[in-house]
C-alpha cells in the first residue's frame, strides 16, 4: 500500500525509501528530476530494484533483461543514459 504522505522526519530517517513509498513527496521528487533533466536516475533505480527482486526462470532470461537494462541506461547514447564515470562504465561492460 502506498502512503498518501510521509513526514519530513520519516524522510530524514529513511531517505529515498520513504519518498518512494509516498505519493506527494514522490511527485515533487520526480518533478525536480524532470526539471533538472535527470529523471533517468530514478527510472534506472526503480528498474534495478525490480531486476534484483525478480525471480528469473532461466539464466538466459536474466541475461536478456540485463542486456535490455544496459541498452536503455548504460550504453553511450542510449535514450535514458545515466551519468557514469568511465571506470564504472568499463567495469559494467
Amino acid at each position: 500500500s502506498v502512503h498518501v504522505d510521509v513526514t519530513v522526519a520519516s524522510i530524514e530517517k529513511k531517505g529515498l525509501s520513504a519518498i518512494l513509498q509516498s505519493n506527494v513527496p514522490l511527485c515533487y521528487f520526480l518533478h525536480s528530476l524532470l526539471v533538472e533533466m535527470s529523471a533517468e536516475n530514478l527510472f534506472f533505480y526503480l528498474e534495478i530494484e525490480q531486476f534484483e527482486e525478480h525471480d528469473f526462470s532461466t539464466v538466459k532470461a536474466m541475461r536478456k533483461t540485463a542486456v535490455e537494462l544496459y541498452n536503455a541506461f548504460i550504453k553511450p547514447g542510449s535514450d535514458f543514459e545515466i551519468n557514469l564515470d568511465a571506470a564504472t562504465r568499463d567495469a559494467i561492460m
Side-chain angles (χ1 to χ4, degrees):
S1 67
V2 177
H3 302 286
V4 174
D5 220 343
V6 295
T7 64
V8 172
S10 180
I11 292 171
E12 288 174 344
K13 181 179 178 183
K14 296 180 183 176
L16 183 59
S17 65
I19 291 172
L20 295 176
Q21 295 174 2
S22 66
N23 282 333
V24 176
L26 179 59
C27 288
Y28 283 110
F29 181 54
L30 182 56
H31 178 266
S32 172
L33 292 173
L34 291 169
V35 168
E36 295 298 319
M37 307 286 272
S38 60
E40 67 278 357
N41 295 314
L42 177 59
F43 300 149
F44 178 68
Y45 176 84
L46 295 172
E47 289 286 340
I48 293 301
E49 262 197 347
Q50 287 182 359
F51 178 80
E52 290 176 342
E53 293 174 6
H54 188 76
D55 186 21
F56 292 96
S57 57
T58 65
V59 173
K60 184 177 179 179
M62 184 171 82
R63 178 180 288 277
K64 180 179 184 264
T65 302
V67 169
E68 290 170 354
L69 290 171
Y70 171 83
N71 288 334
F73 295 102
I74 298 169
K75 183 178 178 180
S78 61
D79 290 339
F80 295 102
E81 181 181 359
I82 57 174
N83 187 14
L84 296 173
D85 60 70
T88 302
R89 190 177 308 275
D90 290 345
I92 292 170
M93 293 172 70

